[in-house]
Amino acid sequence: MTGVPASAAGGTGAKRVPAPKGKLGAAAVNQASLWNIANILTMVRLVLVPAFVVLLFQDGGFDPAWRAWAWAAFAVAMITDVFDGHLARTYNLVTDFGKIADPIADKAIMAAGLISLSVLGDLPWWVTSVILFRETGITLMRFWVIRLAVIPASRGGKAKTLAQGVAVGMYVLALTGPLATLRFWVMALAVVLTVLTGLDYVRDAVLIRRRGIVAQRAAQAHRHGGTDGSGEADEAGESAAAESTR
C-alpha cells in the first residue's frame, strides 16, 4: 500500500516533505492510508451499487418515484468516480486498495445499470453486450501490456464515460416524450464512442506490445553482443520509435 515517507510525518531531525497548500492538502499527505478520503469515496461507490439495484427494482422496477431514487444513487456513484481519482493523485493518496477497488467500482456501477435496464426491458441486450464486452476487453488488454506501459485514459475515453453515464442515468429515470427520444440518441452516441475508443485502445496496446518486444530484443542483443549489440540496440530502438509514429 502506498504510504507517506516517515520524514513527512515529522519527528526530531527529520526532513519535512512540503505538503500541498491548504488544510486538506496537509491533512491528506499525513494520512495516505486505507482510510483516506479518496478510498472512502471508492467504498461509498461500491456500497451504492447494490443500493442502486434494490431501488431500481422496487415495485417491479416501473415506479417513477423509486426510479428517481435509483437515479440519485447512480448519480452520486458517478460523481464520486470523478473526485476520488483526482483527490488521490493531487494529494498523494494513491494506495494499492485504491488501484484495485477504483476500476472495479467504476465497472460495477455501470454494469449494474446496463444489466438492470436490459432485464427490465428498457434497454436492448445488444447495447449492454457491446458496452460490457468493450469494457471487459480493454481491462484485459491493460493487463496484457501492464508490464510494458500503462495505457492512459484518452479524451475520447473520458467522453465515452460521460456519455455512458448520462445515457444510463436518463434511462433510469421514467422519461417520456421528447426526453425519451433524446436519451435514445445519447445512448447511440455512447455506443459509437464505446466502439471507436475501444478500437483506439486496441491499436495503442498493440503498438506498446510491439515496442516492448523490440526493446527486450535490443536489450538482449546489447548484453550478448557487447559493442556490436549496442548498434543493434540503437537500430531496434529507432525501429520501435518509427513504429510508434505510424
Side-chain angles (χ1 to χ4, degrees):
M1 182 174 295
T2 303
V4 178
S7 58
T12 305
K15 182 180 180 181
R16 288 185 171 274
V17 176
K21 295 181 180 179
K23 295 181 179 179
L24 178 59
V29 170
N30 287 328
Q31 57 168 357
S33 63
L34 175 64
W35 298 104
N36 63 62
I37 184 62
N39 284 347
I40 290 173
L41 289 176
T42 300
M43 295 176 195
V44 168
R45 190 156 73 258
L46 287 169
V47 172
L48 284 172
V49 174
F52 160 75
V53 174
V54 170
L55 290 169
L56 182 60
F57 280 94
Q58 287 296 311
D59 288 344
F62 299 103
D63 184 279
W66 282 112
R67 291 188 74 137
W69 282 108
W71 175 87
F74 181 83
V76 170
M78 297 303 294
I79 291 172
T80 62
D81 180 28
V82 174
F83 285 104
D84 61 356
H86 174 73
L87 289 172
R89 292 186 297 271
T90 302
Y91 297 110
N92 192 28
L93 302 177
V94 178
T95 64
D96 290 340
F97 171 82
K99 292 177 183 178
I100 297 172
D102 183 64
I104 291 176
D106 297 345
K107 301 297 185 294
I109 188 63
M110 186 58 64
L114 292 166
I115 294 173
S116 297
L117 291 169
S118 292
V119 169
L120 291 172
D122 293 335
L123 190 66
W125 275 105
W126 72 265
V127 173
T128 296
S129 299
V130 167
I131 294 177
L132 293 185
F133 177 79
R134 184 269 190 197
E135 299 300 335
T136 303
I138 295 305
T139 298
L140 294 176
M141 192 158 292
R142 286 178 182 274
F143 282 112
W144 184 49
V145 300
I146 196 169
R147 291 187 299 105
L148 303 173
V150 175
I151 305 177
S154 63
R155 290 184 178 180
K158 294 177 181 178
K160 176 270 304 178
T161 300
L162 177 62
Q164 286 182 358
V166 173
V168 171
M170 293 181 73
Y171 269 87
V172 169
L173 290 170
L175 301 178
T176 58
L179 288 177
T181 302
L182 176 61
R183 72 182 181 184
F184 168 83
W185 290 110
V186 175
M187 181 59 77
L189 174 63
V191 172
V192 171
L193 290 175
T194 296
V195 174
L196 292 180
T197 57
L199 294 175
D200 192 46
Y201 275 119
V202 169
R203 184 201 64 181
D204 289 345
V206 171
L207 290 177
I208 288 173
R209 187 74 176 177
R210 285 180 180 176
R211 291 199 298 268
I213 292 174
V214 170
Q216 289 175 353
R217 290 176 178 173
Q220 292 176 354
H222 180 71
R223 286 196 301 269
H224 296 297
T227 304
D228 294 336
S230 177
E232 294 177 5
D234 292 339
E235 183 179 351
E238 293 172 1
S239 175
E243 185 69 35
S244 65
T245 60
R246 294 178 183 175

